[in-house]
Amino acid sequence: MTENVINLHKDTDPPADAGNVTTLTVVPDPDPAPLVPLWVRSGRAIRRIVTDERTTTAGRAIVRHSIYTLNGGRIVARRTWDGRTGARYERMLRAAEAQGNYEVAEEWEERLQRFREARHRRRMDLLHSPEQVAKGAVVGAGMSIGVLVALGIVMALNTKDVKDVITPLSATIDFIGALIHIVQVVWPYAVVLGPLFALLGMWAVGSKQQAAPQWALPANVRSGEGEPITPSIVVQALRHLGIPALRNAIKEMGDAGASMLSPIVIAGRGVEVDVALPLEVSTIEVQNRRRKLAENLNRHEHEVFITIPPAARTVRLWIADSGALDEPIGPSPLVTDDTMVADYAKGRAPWGQDLRGDAALLSLFQRMLLVTGMSNQGKTAALRALALWLVLDRRVEFRIADLKGAGDWAMFDGLATVLIQGPTDEHVIEATEMLESGVEEMNRRLQAAPGTEFTPLILLVDEAQVAFMCPIKDADNQPYGGSKANSRYFMACRRIHNQGRAVNVLLWQGTQDPTDQNLPKMVREGAHTRASLALGTESQSRMALGDKAVNGGAAPHLLRPGLDKGTLVVASDGIDIPKGQASITVRTHYIDNDAAYAIADRARALRDGVTTLHVIERGEDRDALADIAAAIGDAPRLPTTDVLKRLAMLCEDVYGGWTNGDLKSALEAEGEEPKKSHGRMVVHRDHVLRALAHRNADGSASASE
């Protein structure tokens, strides 16, 4: 039998084929990882457990419900104390005094005195109550026994059994014994369950009042998402606003802090409430803490608006429903109603919606207009929406200078009598001359007979800051731009602002980032309707809307650039502004280019035809007859004064000094002349076209020869 021997010792002799063996050498790690102590690992595990979301949620729930019970007991105790003492009256008295409303304070003092007198009478009655209770108990017991015995006598007479005399009395005694037995059985359980039911009641009160720290509340309650605004929420928001005088006054008022508030009413997509401030607190202190107030109300800053109503020391809060202002508004009625027409004198432009969700309608009758805002916030769209409505009134004439030249106003070709599009100095010169021709028209109207009615003339300049910043000077070294008295553009604006309203010659301007350089004070304050989109600073807001509007709560500098695109703050008597406010916030309807062209086509259908004069190259040789034809446009005939005016707008260098004699000479040279119609000298379109056709025919014949 062969045995297998296992050698337990290493063989120190090398094998025979050692030369063919590859030896692997394992090098030990010079820096082995140290062992983590047990207490460190235990600490990490405990930290993971403690910081786990499930643990924090469970811990928050335990703390929350415990504090619900504790604070619920405090609320019940306070209510009980208020019901049995004059504490409630004293709090109301202190609240009225803190607000400076001494008439209400006197009324609460009288109520407190009446309560104390009634309580004193009740306590005096208690001194005599033991004797009266004892007498009542004896009399009641005697009467009860007498009734039971009488009932027993009746029963005995009926049954002929004398024992029935005490049967009712015995039954009553047995019933009382049964009640005592029931109490003996239930009492041990009542001793245990009674406190539990009391704790449950206190928990219910605390839970209903959310009487727990903010961090312990559920996540949806802590975020306040969609939480309705209640008086307690408003009072707590004001209490923690960071105004010591306001906090102390509310603390003295106790629960009566809600007496500062008017009833909370639904106002569009939010609620509105007036807050009567204590004597030590001014309205500006609350206005300056708008962001903090919004956060305390679980709202974003743009969802809370603070205005000043007529009442002294009062602020009006409009608090939007959570997320309501981030939802888009509907399309413009100009887009949805293709039968809509405008009325310059009596109508109102459907500009958008106010924060309540009501239609914001703007009257444009005899009102200069200024729209400002940061770049790319919807300034041109807001201004164009008004023009697209007003152009649906066929009586209104538009002369437009778009100093951006991006085609935003191209749909007015064939509607505006002048359309300038471009950002160059040449375009600024044309825009300036357009305003100066408007001044001449204004002066002509001012010299007309009293009672003469004039059709509206709207001179519209978009990106007006380009004109004010233009450095070019004319041949007399007079600048076109600038904010001084020698600036041609500035002075044209001032003259129209001064007297144009009376004869329906109006100036509309749109400009970016208002400053004293690109929007002089005298020009911006000449506008009757001032509107501003988002701006960068409060000083710009004051330039855009005026000090009165900003002091009254207008704050376009608090609008969110990009997010509040198309939202503007309006100061005007042409729009319905809530009583006591100096401005209103409007979310304008956006009309895209396709819809704008469709509206423009409807406006063209209402008109006989308008020839639009465009920017031309200055200094070129002019064809007078062709220019006269262009000036007349599609009108069958035009007064010579209007022809001269349009020729001047077409080329000021050539036709700016023309008179009726020059016009007559130019036509006579072509074989035509002005005719008289209804007492006025007019130029007939057919006559001019006939002269052009004659000349072209003669030119063709000469060429063929």
Side-chain angles (χ1 to χ4, degrees):
M1 180 176 179
T2 305
E3 296 182 358
N4 294 328
V5 179
I6 299 175
N7 190 2
L8 299 178
H9 301 282
K10 289 185 178 180
D11 190 0
T12 57
D13 297 332
D17 56 348
N20 298 327
V21 175
T22 302
T23 303
L24 299 177
T25 304
V26 178
V27 181
D29 189 354
D31 296 322
L35 295 176
V36 180
L38 178 62
W39 65 271
V40 175
R41 285 179 287 164
S42 301
R44 291 175 179 174
I46 293 172
R47 185 178 64 181
R48 283 196 300 271
I49 295 173
V50 170
T51 57
D52 187 82
E53 182 179 357
R54 290 169 292 183
T55 304
T56 56
T57 302
R60 188 180 291 114
I62 293 172
V63 173
R64 178 171 66 251
H65 294 294
S66 300
I67 297 179
Y68 278 169
T69 305
L70 177 62
N71 289 339
R74 292 175 56 190
I75 294 172
V76 171
R78 187 166 188 173
R79 290 175 179 174
T80 305
W81 178 259
D82 287 345
R84 301 184 62 84
T85 67
R88 176 183 289 109
Y89 300 94
E90 293 176 356
R91 282 201 305 275
M92 293 294 183
L93 177 60
R94 290 195 300 269
E97 289 177 345
Q99 293 180 1
N101 197 339
Y102 297 108
E103 293 181 1
V104 176
E106 291 177 0
E107 181 181 347
W108 282 110
E109 187 175 10
E110 292 177 3
R111 293 184 181 183
L112 176 60
Q113 187 63 28
R114 290 196 297 268
F115 170 81
R116 287 174 174 171
E117 291 175 356
R119 183 179 61 184
H120 177 70
R121 286 194 299 269
R122 290 193 301 270
R123 289 177 176 177
M124 294 303 294
D125 292 341
L126 289 176
L127 296 176
H128 305 285
S129 61
E131 180 181 354
Q132 296 174 354
V133 169
K135 289 181 180 180
V138 172
V139 173
M143 291 181 64
S144 299
I145 293 173
V147 170
L148 293 174
V149 171
L151 181 61
I153 292 173
V154 173
M155 293 179 62
L157 292 175
N158 183 52
T159 60
K160 309 299 183 181
D161 189 355
V162 177
K163 295 180 181 180
D164 286 343
V165 173
I166 62 172
T167 297
L169 185 60
S170 176
T172 302
I173 294 172
D174 291 341
F175 176 72
I176 294 173
L179 290 179
I180 293 173
H181 180 70
I182 292 173
V183 170
Q184 289 175 341
V185 174
V186 172
W187 182 253
Y189 300 100
V191 170
V192 176
L193 296 178
L196 294 179
F197 282 118
L199 291 175
L200 182 61
M202 292 187 294
W203 174 87
V205 173
S207 176
K208 185 176 181 180
Q209 297 291 326
Q210 296 290 337
Q214 187 73 13
W215 60 267
L217 296 176
N220 60 331
V221 178
R222 289 199 309 274
S223 65
E225 188 71 25
E227 184 178 9
I229 299 298
T230 62
S232 60
I233 289 177
V234 177
V235 170
Q236 289 299 318
L238 294 169
R239 182 175 182 176
H240 296 90
L241 201 55
I243 304 176
L246 181 59
R247 181 178 63 249
N248 295 336
I250 295 175
K251 186 176 181 181
E252 291 179 4
M253 297 175 196
D255 287 345
S259 64
M260 297 191 305
L261 309 181
S262 70
I264 298 177
V265 296
I266 296 176
R269 297 186 174 186
V271 297
E272 190 173 75
V273 59
D274 285 356
V275 181
L277 301 174
L279 287 173
E280 301 86 353
V281 184
S282 64
T283 56
I284 191 64
E285 291 181 274
V286 178
Q287 285 182 298
N288 290 339
R289 289 170 171 80
R290 177 187 173 195
R291 174 176 293 182
K292 180 66 174 176
L293 178 61
E295 293 172 350
N296 290 349
L297 292 168
N298 297 315
R299 294 294 189 271
H300 297 290
E301 183 179 8
H302 71 280
E303 294 176 330
V304 175
F305 286 82
I306 305 173
T307 53
I308 309 298
R313 295 195 331 276
T314 303
V315 293
R316 178 167 295 162
L317 306 181
W318 185 85
I319 307 163
D321 297 335
S322 184
L325 298 186
D326 294 327
E327 300 174 1
I329 65 174
S332 170
L334 291 173
V335 177
T336 58
D337 184 2
D338 57 5
T339 63
M340 177 176 286
V341 294
D343 187 336
Y344 164 75
K346 300 178 181 179
R348 289 173 173 251
W351 209 5
Q353 294 180 359
D354 61 16
L355 296 179
R356 298 169 179 262
D358 299 329
L361 305 177
L362 181 66
S363 172
L364 301 173
F365 178 65
Q366 293 187 343
R367 288 178 175 88
M368 309 291 177
L369 179 64
L370 174 64
V371 179
T372 63
M374 298 173 64
S375 177
N376 196 32
Q377 297 304 306
K379 169 180 53 60
T380 297
L383 189 61
R384 190 177 69 180
L386 297 177
L388 286 171
W389 175 79
L390 191 56
V391 79
L392 293 174
D393 185 339
R394 58 180 300 174
R395 299 169 299 173
V396 179
E397 177 187 354
F398 274 93
R399 301 179 187 177
I400 298 174
D402 174 18
L403 298 182
K404 179 166 57 178
D408 293 330
W409 297 90
M411 69 286 304
F412 280 82
D413 191 358
L415 290 172
T417 55
V418 176
L419 181 59
I420 302 167
Q421 299 182 90
T424 66
D425 293 337
E426 182 72 19
H427 295 93
V428 172
I429 294 172
E430 293 292 339
T432 303
E433 293 176 349
M434 181 188 79
L435 293 192
E436 290 175 339
S437 68
V439 173
E440 293 176 1
E441 173 64 16
M442 176 190 72
N443 292 332
R444 184 189 69 80
R445 295 182 178 189
L446 289 171
Q447 297 170 10
T452 305
E453 294 185 2
F454 302 102
T455 57
L457 171 59
I458 308 298
L459 304 167
L460 191 154
V461 181
D462 193 13
E463 305 295 344
Q465 76 278 357
V466 177
F468 283 111
M469 301 296 288
C470 179
I472 298 298
K473 297 182 179 181
D474 62 12
D476 298 327
N477 204 33
Q478 187 175 1
Y480 285 94
S483 58
K484 296 182 180 179
N486 61 345
S487 167
R488 292 177 59 178
Y489 185 87
F490 172 78
M491 290 308 300
C493 293
R494 287 299 301 144
R495 292 189 177 101
I496 296 171
H497 280 167
N498 288 339
Q499 297 176 297
R501 179 176 181 271
V503 290
N504 284 332
V505 177
L506 305 177
L507 175 61
W508 292 7
Q509 293 186 98
T511 184
Q512 293 182 14
D513 296 334
T515 64
D516 285 328
Q517 289 72 37
N518 62 26
L519 187 60
K521 180 178 180 180
M522 294 183 68
V523 172
R524 61 180 184 252
E525 292 188 351
H528 304 99
T529 295
R530 300 167 71 173
S532 177
L533 294 107
L535 289 172
T537 63
E538 180 179 338
S539 63
Q540 288 183 325
S541 296
R542 293 184 180 276
M543 292 180 185
L545 300 178
D547 291 336
K548 179 181 179 181
V550 175
N551 292 338
H557 55 283
L558 296 181
L559 294 173
R560 303 167 298 169
L563 297 177
D564 289 327
K565 184 179 292 187
T567 299
L568 43 74
V569 183
V570 185
S572 171
D573 62 349
I575 193 170
D576 292 333
I577 297 178
K579 184 179 180 181
Q581 298 184 22
S583 65
I584 186 172
T585 301
V586 176
R587 304 173 69 199
T588 58
H589 295 295
Y590 175 67
I591 303 175
D592 60 24
N593 284 341
D594 292 340
Y597 275 100
I599 297 170
D601 290 340
R602 288 178 8 221
R604 290 188 190 92
L606 297 174
R607 297 171 182 255
D608 295 332
V610 175
T611 300
T612 299
L613 303 181
H614 297 271
V615 173
I616 49 85
E617 295 296 330
R618 304 174 67 82
E620 61 181 350
D621 294 334
R622 307 301 304 173
D623 183 344
L625 189 61
D627 286 343
I628 293 172
I632 296 175
D634 296 331
R637 60 181 178 272
L638 201 66
T640 55
T641 54
D642 290 345
V643 175
L644 290 172
K645 178 179 63 177
R646 294 192 177 191
L647 286 173
M649 288 188 295
L650 189 63
C651 184
E652 178 71 20
D653 290 347
V654 176
Y655 304 115
W658 270 36
T659 64
N660 285 325
D662 296 322
L663 177 61
K664 182 179 180 181
S665 299
L667 290 173
E668 287 178 345
E670 301 292 342
E672 300 291 343
E673 63 179 350
K675 307 292 183 181
K676 180 172 279 191
S677 174
H678 300 286
R680 300 183 66 183
M681 297 301 296
V682 298
V683 178
H684 288 266
R685 176 173 175 270
D686 292 341
H687 296 177
V688 176
L689 295 180
R690 183 174 59 195
L692 279 173
H694 245 317
R695 190 179 63 182
N696 293 337
D698 292 344
S700 300
S702 298
S704 62
E705 291 175 0

